[in-house]
C-alpha cells in the first residue's frame, strides 16, 4: 500500500498548536487541506496563523513565494464536518478525552468514504479504545506527531488491535512522503517514546527525593556527563510539570499501576502548588525576571594523586586510562583480577557506579557513567559518611586533573546517569520483547523524539550486554520495591550472551 496521492484532500480536526502544525506539514507536502474546529471562527483564525507561518518560511528562504501562494490556495477552513466528505485522510488533534474522540470519529463515519483513513494524534489514550467506537476500526490508526510538528521529524505510527496492516502501511508511507521519519509501533501505553522515556524523569526525581543532590546539580550531570541535551528538571519545566506528570500518571494507570512507572510525589506537590514550569513562571526553577539560576554543586580544587593502580577491567570507563596518563598520573597495572576499580595512593578505591553503595565498603568512592569520558565536562562522585576525606579528595583531584568539574552527591546506588541509562535500556528490551516495536525503531524514536544522545540499544551495545542487568540487579537488592527488578527480556539478553561465551 503506497502513500496517499498528493492530490488527495487531507483534513485536520482541532486547530490548536498541534492541529495547526499537522495541517502545515500536509499543506507544505502538497495536499489540499481542510481545517475544522467545533468552535465557530477558530478554523478561519488557524488558517490565517498558518499563512503567517508560511510567510516566515519565505522570509527564511525555506519556501518560495510561489510555493507559499500555492499552499495558501490549497488551505480551506471547513464550517461543517460534512465538508470533509471527500477527504482521503482525517487527522484529529482535539481534547485528550476518550469520549470526545470517540464521538468525533463516529460522526465522521457518517460523512467520509469507506476507504478514508482515520487517524488520531493522541499521545496518551489507547488507539484501540478510540477506534473501538467505529463501525470499521480497521481503517483507524495513530499518527502521533511531536510538537512542534513542522520542525520535529518523528511520527509514531500506532496500530490498534483492530488496525488493518494496509491502513498502517499507508499511514506510515504518507508520513514518510511528508518528510517525516515514521516508526511503527503497537498500541501500548505511552507508545515508544513516552513509555521508554519515563526513567529519565523518574530517576532524577528519585535522586532528588533521596536528598542526594539538588535539581541544578542533577541536571548538570545529565547534560555534561550523560550527554543529554537537557536535564530532567529543566526539561519538565519546559514541557510543563502538569503535562509531564499527567503523561506519567496515564502510563502508570494504563499499566495497572506497574511500580516501574510510579509517578513522583515531589512532582505531584509541585503541580499541586501551581508551579507548572516556564509557562507559570515557576517550576523546579524560578523564571521571574531577575531571578538567579541556581548553580550546580562543584567541588573545590584538590591535588591530583601521583599514581593509581588499576585492578580488573574498567569496562565502559576503560577510556579513562589513557586520559590519566596524558594528565601525568602514573597508571600501574595489577595482574590480579580483584574487581573493576582504581586504587588511590591513600588505599581507597574509585569504582564505576554499579548499583551498590559506598557505605557497604571500607573506603570506596563511586563515579558516574559518562557518554564519553573524554568529552564530558563534569563527573559526579558519591561517597558515604564513612569514606575517608583523603580518598574523596584524591578522587576529586583525579577528575579535576582531567579537566572536569566534579559534583559530589549522596550515596545513592547507581548514581544519576548510570541508573537512568540502565532503566531506559531495560524498558527498551522489554518493549521489543513484547512486540511494541523493533530495536531500530526504538533507537530512532528515542533519538528523534526526545533528543537522546544514543538510542537504548546503541547504549546497550556500547556498554556490554550484561551491564544494565548487573547494575539493576544490584540496585534491586538494595531497593527491593520492584522498580529496579530487571525485566525477563533483559535477563534473557544477558544470560544468552554469557551462555554463548561459556560454550567451548
Amino acid at each position: 500500500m503506497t502513500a496517499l496521492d498528493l492530490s488527495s484532500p487531507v483534513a485536520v480536526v482541532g486547530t490548536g498548536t498541534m492541529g495547526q502544525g499537522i495541517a502545515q506539514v500536509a499543506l507544505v507536502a502538497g495536499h489540499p487541506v481542510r481545517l475544522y474546529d467545533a468552535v465557530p471562527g477558530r478554523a478561519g483564525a488557524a488558517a490565517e496563523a498558518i499563512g503567517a507561518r508560511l510567510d516566515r518560511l519565505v522570509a527564511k528562504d525555506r519556501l518560495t513565494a510561489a510555493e507559499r501562494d500555492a499552499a495558501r490556495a490549497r488551505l480551506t477552513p471547513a464550517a461543517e464536518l460534512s465538508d470533509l466528505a471527500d477527504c482521503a485522510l482525517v487527522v484529529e488533534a482535539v481534547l485528550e478525552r476518550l469520549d470526545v474522540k470517540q464521538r468525533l470519529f463516529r460522526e465522521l463515519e457518517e460523512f467520509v468514504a469507506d476507504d478514508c483513513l482515520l487517524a488520531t494524534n493522541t499521545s496518551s489514550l489507547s488507539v484501540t479504545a478510540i477506534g473501538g467506537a467505529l463501525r470499521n476500526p480497521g481503517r483507524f490508526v495513530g499518527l502521533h506527531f511531536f510538537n512542534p510538528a513542522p520542525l520535529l521529524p518523528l511520527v509514531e505510527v500506532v496500530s490498534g488491535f483492530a488496525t488493518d496492516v494496509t491502513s498502517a502501511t499507508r499511514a506510515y508511507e504518507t508520513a514518510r512522503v511528508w518528510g517525516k521519519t515514521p516508526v511503527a509501533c503497537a498500541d501500548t501505553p505511552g507508545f515508544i517514546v513516552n513509555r521508554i522515556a519515563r526513567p529519565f524523569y523518574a530517576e532524577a526525581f528519585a535522586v532528588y527525593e533521596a536528598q542526594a543532590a539538588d535539581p541544578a546539580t542533577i541536571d548538570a550531570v545529565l547534560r555534561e556527563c550523560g550527554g543529554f541535551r537537557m536535564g530532567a528538571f529543566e526539561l519538565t519545566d519546559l514541557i510543563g510539570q502538569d503535562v509531564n506528570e499527567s503523561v506519567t500518571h496515564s502510563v502508570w494507570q494504563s499499566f495497572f499501576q506497574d511500580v516501574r512507572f510510579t509517578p513522583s510525589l515531589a512532582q505531584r506537590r509541585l503541580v499541586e502548588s501551581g508551579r507548572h514550569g516556564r509557562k507559570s513562571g515557576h517550576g523546579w526553577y524560578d523564571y521571574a525576571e531577575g531571578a538567579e539560576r541556581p548553580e550546580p554543586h562543584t567541588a573545590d580544587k584538590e591535588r591530583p594523586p601521583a599514581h593509581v593502580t588499576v585492578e580488573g577491567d574498567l569496562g565502559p570507563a576503560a577510556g579513562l586510562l589513557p586520559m590519566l596518563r596524558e594528565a601525568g598520573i602514573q597508571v600501574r597495572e595489577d595482574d590480579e583480577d580483584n574487581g573493576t576499580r582504581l586504587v588511590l595512593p591513600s588505599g581507597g578505591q574509585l569504582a564505576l557506579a554499579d548499583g551498590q553503595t559506598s557505605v557497604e565498603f571500607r573506603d570506596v568512592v563511586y563515579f558516574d557513567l559518562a557518554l564519553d569520558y573524554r568529552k564530558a565536562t563534569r563527573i559526579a562522585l558519591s561517597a558515604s559518611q564513612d569514606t575517608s576525606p583523603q580518598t574523596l579528595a584524591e578522587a576529586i583531584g583525579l577528575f579535576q586533573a582531567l579537566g572536569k568539574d566534579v559534583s559530589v552527591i549522596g550515596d545513592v546506588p547507581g548514581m544519576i546517569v548510570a541508573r537512568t541509562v540502565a532503566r531506559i535500556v531495560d524498558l527498551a528490551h522489554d518493549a521489543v520483547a513484547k512486540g511494541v516495536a523493533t530495536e531500530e525503531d526504538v533507537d530512532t524514536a528515542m533519538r528523534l523524539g526526545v533528543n537522546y544522545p544514543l538510542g537504548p540499544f546503541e547504549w546497550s551495545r556500547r556498554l556490554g550486554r550484561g551491564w544494565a542487568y548487573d547494575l539493576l540487579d544490584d540496585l534491586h537488592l538494595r531497593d527491593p520495591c520492584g522498580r529496579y527488578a530487571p525485566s525477563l527480556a533483559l535477563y534473557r539478553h544477558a544470560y544468552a550472551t554469557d551462555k554463548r561465551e561459556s560454550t567451548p
Side-chain angles (χ1 to χ4, degrees):
M1 180 65 68
T2 57
L4 295 176
D5 189 277
L6 293 179
S7 64
S8 303
V10 170
V12 177
V13 178
T15 57
T17 301
M18 184 58 78
Q20 290 182 32
I22 296 169
Q24 181 179 327
V25 170
L27 191 65
V28 171
H31 288 276
V33 174
R34 312 270 171 76
L35 286 173
Y36 175 80
D37 198 291
V39 178
R42 281 193 180 173
E48 291 179 6
I50 293 170
R53 284 199 289 273
L54 296 178
D55 289 339
R56 290 195 289 273
L57 290 177
V58 172
K60 295 177 181 179
D61 292 327
R62 296 177 184 172
L63 206 65
T64 67
E67 289 170 335
R68 174 200 59 198
D69 294 342
R72 279 181 166 171
R74 294 193 302 271
L75 182 60
T76 308
E80 305 289 342
L81 279 179
S82 58
D83 295 336
L84 313 182
D86 64 338
C87 289
L89 166 64
V90 180
V91 184
E92 69 80 16
V94 301
L95 189 66
E96 280 286 275
R97 275 180 43 187
L98 180 60
D99 60 329
V100 172
K101 293 179 187 291
Q102 288 178 328
R103 183 167 61 249
L104 168 65
F105 284 110
R106 280 196 298 265
E107 293 174 3
L108 278 168
E109 271 197 315
E110 298 299 321
F111 301 111
V112 298
D114 290 343
D115 60 351
C116 175
L117 189 62
L118 299 177
T120 174
N121 183 59
T122 186
S123 61
S124 59
L125 298 177
S126 164
V127 171
T128 300
I130 300 171
L134 300 177
R135 291 194 304 270
N136 177 16
R139 60 160 160 187
F140 189 74
V141 66
L143 275 178
H144 181 216
F145 289 78
F146 287 73
N147 193 32
L151 297 180
L152 296 186
L154 184 69
V155 177
E156 291 177 317
V157 181
V158 186
S159 293
F161 187 79
T163 302
D164 291 336
V165 173
T166 53
S167 298
T169 303
R170 171 161 281 187
Y172 184 99
E173 291 300 324
T174 297
R176 188 178 58 79
V177 168
W178 288 1
K180 297 302 180 182
T181 302
V183 292
C185 65
D187 183 22
T188 184
F191 309 141
I192 299 174
V193 172
N194 280 329
R195 172 179 177 152
I196 296 174
R198 293 351 288 166
F200 180 74
Y201 315 109
E203 295 313 308
F205 298 160
V207 172
Y208 168 76
E209 290 173 340
Q211 301 186 53
D214 59 276
T217 299
I218 297 169
D219 278 353
V221 172
L222 286 168
R223 286 194 316 269
E224 300 173 37
C225 183
F228 293 96
R229 185 167 297 185
M230 298 181 75
F233 295 89
E234 57 190 343
L235 179 55
T236 52
D237 267 359
L238 177 63
I239 294 169
Q241 297 301 332
D242 53 336
V243 174
N244 182 262
E245 202 254 359
S246 176
V247 172
T248 299
H249 194 271
S250 173
V251 172
W252 174 62
Q253 290 282 26
S254 297
F255 275 114
F256 309 105
Q257 301 185 357
D258 186 330
V259 69
R260 295 177 301 167
F261 302 101
T262 301
S264 160
L265 181 59
Q267 188 181 37
R268 177 92 287 264
R269 293 292 179 258
L270 200 68
V271 172
E272 289 174 339
S273 72
R275 294 186 172 186
H276 293 170
R278 291 190 183 186
K279 63 186 178 183
S280 69
H282 205 304
W284 295 110
Y285 301 107
D286 186 353
Y287 297 94
E289 186 176 352
E292 290 188 14
R293 181 70 175 261
E295 293 294 325
H297 167 76
T298 302
D300 292 334
K301 188 71 175 176
E302 298 285 356
R303 183 186 299 274
H307 62 83
V308 294
T309 301
V310 184
E311 291 187 350
D313 178 8
L314 293 183
L320 286 172
L321 299 182
M323 295 170 60
L324 292 171
R325 295 186 178 99
E326 292 165 16
I329 298 174
Q330 183 185 5
V331 178
R332 302 172 179 175
E333 304 282 348
D334 189 330
D335 294 334
E336 294 186 17
D337 187 359
N338 296 319
T340 56
R341 54 188 176 259
L342 297 171
V343 180
L344 299 163
S346 63
Q349 300 170 9
L350 187 58
L352 176 62
D354 59 5
Q356 301 182 85
T357 56
S358 181
V359 75
E360 300 171 50
F361 304 98
R362 184 183 63 82
D363 202 11
V364 169
V365 173
Y366 277 105
F367 64 95
D368 210 346
L369 177 71
L371 173 68
D372 185 324
Y373 283 100
R374 189 171 290 276
K375 294 180 180 178
T377 57
R378 181 177 300 272
I379 295 293
L381 303 179
S382 70
S384 75
Q385 65 271 21
D386 297 329
T387 304
S388 112
Q390 179 62 27
T391 295
L392 181 57
E394 288 177 346
I396 292 170
L398 181 146
F399 282 104
Q400 288 174 337
L402 302 182
K404 317 300 182 187
D405 288 329
V406 176
S407 293
V408 179
I409 69 170
D411 188 20
V412 287
M415 300 191 68
I416 298 171
V417 178
R419 70 195 287 171
T420 299
V421 169
R423 288 211 58 220
I424 289 170
V425 167
D426 184 41
L427 289 188
H429 277 279
D430 184 55
V432 169
K434 292 176 178 173
V436 173
T438 65
E439 291 185 7
E440 294 75 15
D441 277 355
V442 166
D443 277 352
T444 297
M446 302 312 291
R447 285 196 314 269
L448 299 183
V450 277
N451 290 312
Y452 283 3
L454 294 174
F457 291 95
E458 291 173 315
W459 270 113
S460 186
R461 288 189 290 272
R462 175 183 288 200
L463 297 170
R465 290 194 173 208
W467 179 86
Y469 176 82
D470 290 341
L471 186 144
L472 290 176
D473 194 41
D474 278 339
L475 216 165
H476 175 58
L477 288 174
R478 287 150 185 84
D479 188 357
C481 63
R483 175 182 181 132
Y484 301 105
S487 67
L488 180 59
L490 191 65
Y491 171 79
R492 285 173 170 160
H493 184 71
Y495 177 75
T497 303
D498 291 341
K499 185 176 181 179
R500 284 197 298 271
E501 290 175 351
S502 63
T503 301

